[in-house]
Amino acid sequence: PPPDELGLSRFEKIGEVAAKYGFTVAIENSVFPKHLYSVLDRFTGNEFGYCFDSGHMYCFTPKATFMKDFGPRLVATHLEDNDGHEDIHLLPFDGVAPWDTIISDIGKTDYCNRRIGFEVAGPIRHKCPGMSAKQIREELLSGVKILDDEKLLEIHDEYYEAYCKLSYEEYLARLYECGRAIATGY
């Protein structure tokens, strides 16, 4: 539903609790930007901040200007990548998101000096009912950077799998390298 006074009054109560106990509620960009804008435009104190979700941004709202509009209020990140169609939580740099831009935008905030957070899925099995492996490759995954790495991505009729051939240690090593690359600007 569209943002309305009832919803905003509920956020006001949440903000009162946050202010009383000294914490910040992170509001994440999602499918409908108007919800994020309605809350962060209305409540400008420390009780509400911005959570940047790179997967949502580059899947649902790639032309939005969230970091420009709310970067100074950045309090959390959900860094992940995707195929540009669905929010599948790939490791950063493996999908279609423009990491040069993301790293630059985060680097312009005070938040970048504290921490980064990921929202990745580990081994992924994604169903694509009725689609052949060729269709999945050409229609869903054509821009994904790991498209031709069979250790990282396997495409079958009606589904694909990412990271299923990696051991837990190998997956964590890739995640560590993503964090290092983001923290150092590559």
Side-chain angles (χ1 to χ4, degrees):
D4 61 14
E5 281 306 310
L6 175 61
L8 291 170
S9 70
R10 291 174 176 160
F11 274 98
E12 186 171 0
K13 290 176 185 177
I14 293 168
E16 289 169 3
V17 172
K20 179 179 178 180
Y21 292 103
F23 64 88
T24 301
V25 177
I27 307 295
E28 181 176 338
N29 57 283
S30 63
V31 178
F32 304 106
K34 61 188 172 189
H35 294 97
L36 173 71
Y37 280 92
S38 68
V39 173
L40 293 183
D41 286 345
R42 172 106 168 234
F43 304 104
T44 58
N46 291 331
E47 65 274 16
F48 291 102
Y50 172 49
C51 174
F52 172 66
D53 188 306
S54 59
H56 290 174
M57 175 81 178
Y58 293 102
C59 186
F60 306 126
T61 57
K63 295 182 192 242
T65 57
F66 300 128
M67 287 298 284
K68 177 180 167 263
D69 299 336
F70 301 118
R73 296 180 67 186
L74 186 67
V75 296
T77 59
H78 286 172
L79 300 181
E80 55 165 303
D81 216 326
N82 60 51
D83 61 10
H85 305 283
E86 292 187 53
D87 188 28
I88 56 176
H89 300 93
L90 292 171
L91 289 171
F93 308 102
D94 286 351
V96 300
W99 287 96
D100 289 339
T101 301
I102 294 169
I103 291 169
S104 174
D105 287 349
I106 292 171
K108 294 173 185 170
T109 70
D110 289 336
Y111 180 79
C112 73
N113 296 321
R114 295 191 299 273
R115 62 188 61 91
I116 56 174
F118 296 97
E119 186 180 23
V120 294
I124 297 167
R125 183 181 173 123
H126 190 76
K127 295 178 183 178
C128 308
M131 294 185 80
S132 69
K134 181 179 181 194
Q135 288 174 303
I136 293 168
R137 172 178 283 280
E138 293 174 357
E139 295 174 25
L140 297 182
L141 302 176
S142 64
V144 171
K145 291 176 185 69
I146 60 172
L147 184 62
D148 295 317
D149 189 329
E150 291 180 8
K151 179 148 185 169
L152 300 178
L153 182 66
E154 285 188 66
I155 304 170
H156 306 274
D157 289 342
E158 300 198 351
Y159 73 97
Y160 63 87
E161 296 179 325
Y163 314 124
C164 292
K165 289 186 176 179
L166 295 180
S167 69
Y168 183 70
E169 291 76 18
E170 290 171 320
Y171 182 81
L172 287 180
R174 284 184 61 79
L175 180 58
Y176 171 82
E177 285 304 314
C178 292
R180 185 197 56 74
I182 291 167
T184 61
Y186 286 100

